[in-house]
Amino acid sequence: MPASLEPLDIGVQIPYYFRCPISLELMRDPVTVCTGQTYDRSSIESWVATGNTTCPVTRAPLTDFTLIPNHTLRRLIQDWCVANRSFGVERIPTPKQPADPVLVRSLLNRASSGLGPYGLRVSALRRLRGLARDSDKNRSVIAASNAREILLSIAFADVVGSESSAELSHEALAVLSMFTLSEPECMYVACDSDRVGYLVNLLFHSSIDVRVNSAAVIEIVVAGIRSPELRAQISSAEGVFDGVVGILNYPFAYPRALKIGIKTLFALCLVKQHRHKAVAAGAVEALIDRLAEFEKCDSERALATVELLCRIPSGCAAFESHALTVPLLVKIILKISDRATEYAAGALLSLCSTSERAQRDAVAAGVLTQLLLLVQSGCTERAKRKAQMLLKLLRDSWPHDSFTKSDDFAGTDVVLF
């Protein structure tokens, strides 16, 4: 049931014929099966996906798994939502219909046909990109048609091709960036230095969309292979860190660039021996300057990257020299999420372990209060351990009256080291 209906049990009653027989919730995309019964699309798809071959209501065999949209019922539900707006009921949106598998196969055939007109091949890929962007269901339909293998062959068909033929490759990469690749598919890219080099070169393309799509595919490949050697080869590619950091530094508002940029940077920084290249490429400045702009999940990934880079001497030195690093990390504690707090505390621990200046900056930024709150919170045990280690490290840096003049922690059970 939509969140807006949860508190409405007394004020409004949902007609039973508007409820899905499987979930008993208000239907948002009613579809009819071959037995004549209507269900919410997501519920009946889940029912069939778990191996059931009968109609949930009639128990009759489902001889045809085609789902026919019940537009009449959906419009009645929408009218009912509008009529009950005063109770806080929101009108359900008109759902987009899933992609037709026949259409998807036709588009893939057209795109992969080397004999077809070039413009038609490009337009077929653009149509596929639009379908893939619309919904998870569409992406499932596209993936079921062997699309990833076809798109990979198109994307890397001519890695040194002309500018005119490059458009086809760029469109194929744009579609690929929305899918998760299997390990053999990732190996297809990672094992060929020309393909990796091609992706890295695209990180410097004049189009920000091409750059972001290339970074997305690099991240997918790095995350999809288990071989440490291949991961190291990709992260050692000339210019890969410069290109990714350049995406993070894109001067205009582009949320997807931030999201893909930090995902790719984090994946590359998991390879310890090449983290110094991220520092040399300006990752430290980009992370600190952009930290406030990330959404929650991306903030966690950015802080994890900060902690990783703080584990190498050049990373520690770069963060320590940035005036905003320590105040930002102190401020983040207990503000975003438990995971973000853990990473921020870990980064502060690394910085303060190597720099007296970082210790003084942390104390001046109010880290005492934050750490005392942290060790008494419901945060992760790892975060608490890091906080306790940081308190112990900084015990000689606290002003003498930090405790005697403060009633904030009267009666606290925290033992100061």
Side-chain angles (χ1 to χ4, degrees), residues 330-331 333-335 338 341 366-380 383-384 387-388 391 403 408-410 412-414 416:
V330 171
K331 185 178 179 180
I333 292 176
L334 297 175
K335 289 294 192 299
D338 288 354
T341 294
V367 75
L368 167 61
T369 301
Q370 297 291 77
L371 293 177
L372 288 173
L373 287 170
L374 171 53
V375 295
Q376 295 180 103
S377 71
C379 211
T380 65
K384 291 180 180 180
Q388 290 167 346
L391 278 168
F403 309 103
D408 292 346
F409 300 98
T412 179
D413 58 355
V414 176
L416 296 177

Side-chain angles (χ1 to χ4, degrees), residues 54-199:
T54 59
C55 174
V57 172
T58 66
R59 296 297 177 185
L62 292 173
T63 56
D64 183 353
F65 292 97
T66 301
L67 304 178
I68 302 173
N70 192 329
H71 296 298
T72 301
L73 180 57
R74 190 248 308 151
R75 282 192 286 266
L76 288 172
I77 293 174
Q78 289 175 323
D79 291 342
W80 176 84
C81 290
V82 171
N84 288 275
R85 186 184 302 162
S86 61
F87 293 101
V89 179
E90 295 179 3
R91 181 182 182 274
I92 62 169
T94 300
K96 291 185 177 181
Q97 296 308 307
D100 182 357
V102 176
L103 171 63
V104 169
R105 286 192 292 271
S106 173
L107 292 172
L108 287 170
N109 289 336
R110 189 186 309 165
S112 59
S113 174
L115 301 177
Y118 187 81
L120 290 180
R121 296 180 68 191
V122 172
S123 65
L125 287 175
R126 287 176 178 163
R127 181 79 183 279
L128 277 172
R129 176 153 56 109
L131 291 173
R133 191 190 297 121
D134 279 345
S135 67
D136 291 336
K137 175 64 178 176
N138 283 0
R139 288 190 286 275
S140 297
V141 172
I142 294 171
S145 299
N146 198 34
R148 297 192 303 265
E149 182 177 336
I150 295 172
L151 292 168
L152 283 169
S153 66
I154 296 173
F156 298 102
D158 186 11
V159 296
V160 291
S162 64
E163 190 63 30
S164 59
S165 64
E167 188 178 6
L168 194 68
S169 170
H170 298 168
E171 288 296 334
L173 287 173
V175 184
L176 275 173
S177 68
M178 290 182 270
F179 291 88
T180 299
L181 301 180
S182 66
E183 186 170 16
E185 291 164 343
C186 292
M187 296 286 284
Y188 170 82
V189 179
C191 290
D192 190 309
S193 59
D194 287 338
R195 292 176 187 139
V196 173
Y198 177 65
L199 290 175

Side-chain angles (χ1 to χ4, degrees), residues 14-336:
I14 302 174
Y16 75 90
Y17 42 86
F18 288 171
R19 293 178 182 266
C20 174
I22 299 175
S23 66
L24 301 181
E25 296 176 356
L26 183 71
M27 287 188 280
R28 305 180 68 80
D29 187 7
V31 292
T32 302
V33 298
C34 60
T35 61
Q37 296 295 321
T38 296
Y39 304 93
D40 202 18
R41 182 184 294 276
S42 60
S43 296
I44 191 63
E45 285 180 341
S46 298
W47 170 269
V48 173
T50 53
N52 295 292
T53 58
T54 59
C55 174
V57 172
T58 66
R59 296 297 177 185
L62 292 173
T63 56
D64 183 353
F65 292 97
T66 301
L67 304 178
I68 302 173
N70 192 329
H71 296 298
T72 301
L73 180 57
R74 190 248 308 151
R75 282 192 286 266
L76 288 172
I77 293 174
Q78 289 175 323
D79 291 342
W80 176 84
C81 290
V82 171
N84 288 275
R85 186 184 302 162
S86 61
F87 293 101
V89 179
E90 295 179 3
R91 181 182 182 274
I92 62 169
T94 300
K96 291 185 177 181
Q97 296 308 307
D100 182 357
V102 176
L103 171 63
V104 169
R105 286 192 292 271
S106 173
L107 292 172
L108 287 170
N109 289 336
R110 189 186 309 165
S112 59
S113 174
L115 301 177
Y118 187 81
L120 290 180
R121 296 180 68 191
V122 172
S123 65
L125 287 175
R126 287 176 178 163
R127 181 79 183 279
L128 277 172
R129 176 153 56 109
L131 291 173
R133 191 190 297 121
D134 279 345
S135 67
D136 291 336
K137 175 64 178 176
N138 283 0
R139 288 190 286 275
S140 297
V141 172
I142 294 171
S145 299
N146 198 34
R148 297 192 303 265
E149 182 177 336
I150 295 172
L151 292 168
L152 283 169
S153 66
I154 296 173
F156 298 102
D158 186 11
V159 296
V160 291
S162 64
E163 190 63 30
S164 59
S165 64
E167 188 178 6
L168 194 68
S169 170
H170 298 168
E171 288 296 334
L173 287 173
V175 184
L176 275 173
S177 68
M178 290 182 270
F179 291 88
T180 299
L181 301 180
S182 66
E183 186 170 16
E185 291 164 343
C186 292
M187 296 286 284
Y188 170 82
V189 179
C191 290
D192 190 309
S193 59
D194 287 338
R195 292 176 187 139
V196 173
Y198 177 65
L199 290 175
V200 173
N201 287 336
L202 290 181
L203 294 176
F204 301 92
H205 195 274
S206 58
S207 166
I208 185 60
D209 288 318
V210 173
R211 293 162 62 189
V212 171
N213 291 332
S214 178
V217 174
I218 290 174
E219 188 275 331
I220 291 167
V221 170
V222 172
I225 53 179
R226 287 176 288 184
S227 167
E229 293 79 13
L230 286 176
R231 287 184 176 183
Q233 284 181 26
I234 295 174
S235 65
S236 67
E238 187 68 30
V240 65
F241 281 106
D242 297 275
V244 172
V245 171
I247 291 173
L248 284 174
N249 286 329
Y250 186 65
F252 304 106
Y254 191 3
R256 184 168 179 257
L258 282 179
K259 179 179 288 291
I260 298 299
I262 192 56
K263 284 184 70 174
T264 310
L265 181 61
F266 173 69
L268 293 171
C269 285
L270 288 174
V271 181
K272 182 178 180 180
Q273 61 265 42
H274 295 136
R275 289 174 192 164
H276 66 282
K277 292 189 175 184
V279 177
V284 169
E285 294 79 6
L287 285 167
I288 297 302
D289 293 344
R290 294 289 194 179
L291 199 52
E293 300 176 38
F294 291 114
E295 296 179 357
K296 177 183 175 182
C297 182
D298 299 323
S299 292
E300 293 173 348
R301 195 174 280 113
L303 289 164
T305 308
V306 170
E307 186 178 10
L308 287 174
L309 294 180
C310 281
R311 294 178 183 176
I312 62 171
S314 61
C316 255
F319 278 114
E320 191 265 342
S321 65
H322 197 300
L324 295 179
T325 298
V326 172
L328 270 176
L329 292 175
V330 171
K331 185 178 179 180
I332 282 167
I333 292 176
L334 297 175
K335 289 294 192 299
I336 299 176

